Amino acid sequence: MRNQIEVLDMLQTIDMELSELEEHISEYPKRISAYEEELEAYGEKLESLNSEKQELLKNKSSMELELTQNEETIKKSEEKLFEIKTHKEYEALQKEISETKRMNSELEDKLLEEMEKIENIESQISATNEELTGKKTDYEEKISGFKEKLEEVETLYGPKKEEKEKIVSKISPDILPIYEKIKKRNGEVLALAKNEVCTGCNMNIPPQLFNEVLTLSRIIQCPNCTKILYCEEELNSEAKTG
Ligand SMILES: [Zn+2]
C-alpha cells in the first residue's frame, strides 16, 4: 500500500495545482474584461458627450443664422419705412419691426443659454479625458499583465494534465473512485494518522483500524471524515503532515 499512498499523494498535489491553474484560467479573463469594460465605458461617455456637444453647436449656429436673417429683415423694413405713404401701413410695418426685434432679443437670450451649455459640456469632456488619461496607462498595463499571466497558466495546464494522467494510470482502479469521491466531498483526500488520531479531523481512530493503517495492508478511510489514512513512514522523502 505504501506505493499507492505515495501515488495518491502525488495525485493530490497535482490535482491541487491543476485546480489552482483552472481558477486562474477562469479568473484572469474576468479581470481583463472588467478593466476593458471600464475603459470602454469612458470611450462611450466621451462619445455621447461629444455628440451632445455637436448637437448644441448645430443649434447655436442655426440660432446665429436666424439672428442675422432677422437683423437683415429689420434693416430692410426700416429702409422701407421711408417709402411708405399711409399712416396705417407705416404703423403696421413698425409693429412688424418691433416684433422681429423682440424675437431677436429672445433669441439672443437662448443663444447665451446654449453657449453656457456648450461650455459646461466642454468642461465635462475635458474632465472625463483627464480621468481617462489617469487610468488608461495603469489599466492597459494591468490588462497586458493579466493576459501574460493567462498565457502562462494556459501553457502550464496541458502538460500538467498529461502528467496527471500518468499518475492516474499508476493507481489501482478500485482506489481511484474512492479518491475521487473523497476529493469531491473534502478537497483534501489524505490524512496522516498519528497516535491513533486522524490529523484530518482530529478524531480518534479505533486501535484495530489504526493497526491496519500501520501494517499498510489495505486502504483505510477515517470512519469520521472518510479521508484515506496513512502513517508517517509511508511518506518519508516528501513528508506531508497535512
Ligand atoms: Zn478523519
Side-chain angles (χ1 to χ4, degrees), residues 227-239:
K227 287 177 188 169
I228 295 171
L229 297 168
Y230 67 95
C231 51
E232 258 166 330
E233 60 194 78
E234 279 180 281
L235 290 174
N236 280 332
S237 51
E238 295 167 287

Side-chain angles (χ1 to χ4, degrees), residues 42-71:
Y42 275 106
E44 277 163 23
K45 191 180 175 188
L46 279 172
E47 211 174 288
S48 107
L49 284 171
N50 272 314
S51 78
E52 211 177 316
K53 183 187 162 188
Q54 288 312 312
E55 197 58 35
L56 290 169
L57 286 172
K58 227 167 82 185
N59 287 349
K60 180 182 166 248
S61 63
S62 85
M63 283 177 191
E64 283 168 340
L65 183 68
E66 205 183 334
L67 260 175
T68 320
Q69 281 169 345
N70 283 348
E71 269 158 18

Side-chain angles (χ1 to χ4, degrees), residues 75-184:
K75 207 174 143 197
K76 275 181 194 157
S77 299
E78 279 174 340
E79 280 164 9
K80 234 167 113 185
L81 275 179
F82 296 105
E83 298 155 19
I84 278 171
K85 311 271 187 309
T86 73
H87 184 68
K88 207 176 167 189
E89 267 180 303
Y90 187 89
E91 268 198 335
L93 191 57
Q94 244 188 351
K95 202 178 163 193
E96 209 182 288
I97 292 169
S98 68
E99 178 61 16
T100 313
K101 281 183 174 168
R102 191 191 59 78
M103 271 164 57
N104 258 11
S105 124
E106 263 176 30
L107 233 110
E108 273 166 355
D109 287 346
K110 278 189 191 162
L111 189 61
L112 277 177
E113 272 174 35
E114 212 67 3
M115 282 158 92
E116 262 173 43
K117 282 186 198 164
I118 291 168
E119 252 177 59
N120 183 288
I121 217 139
E122 275 171 346
S123 75
Q124 280 184 63
I125 288 171
S126 75
T128 308
N129 262 325
E130 225 171 273
E131 231 178 283
L132 176 60
T133 313
K135 287 186 175 175
K136 204 176 177 196
T137 320
D138 180 36
Y139 281 15
E140 279 171 351
E141 265 171 28
K142 280 179 174 147
I143 287 168
S144 73
F146 279 121
K147 280 185 178 166
E148 255 172 55
K149 281 185 192 170
L150 182 62
E151 222 182 278
E152 231 169 81
V153 291
E154 279 173 341
T155 310
L156 289 174
Y157 191 73
K160 205 48 112 183
K161 197 93 181 165
E162 278 170 31
E163 206 181 315
K164 179 188 167 171
E165 291 314 313
K166 277 184 205 150
I167 295 170
V168 166
S169 71
K170 289 179 192 158
I171 293 174
S172 345
D174 54 326
I175 296 175
L176 195 61
I178 301 172
Y179 170 90
E180 292 297 346
K181 202 173 159 190
I182 304 170
K183 190 182 97 180
K184 215 171 183 180

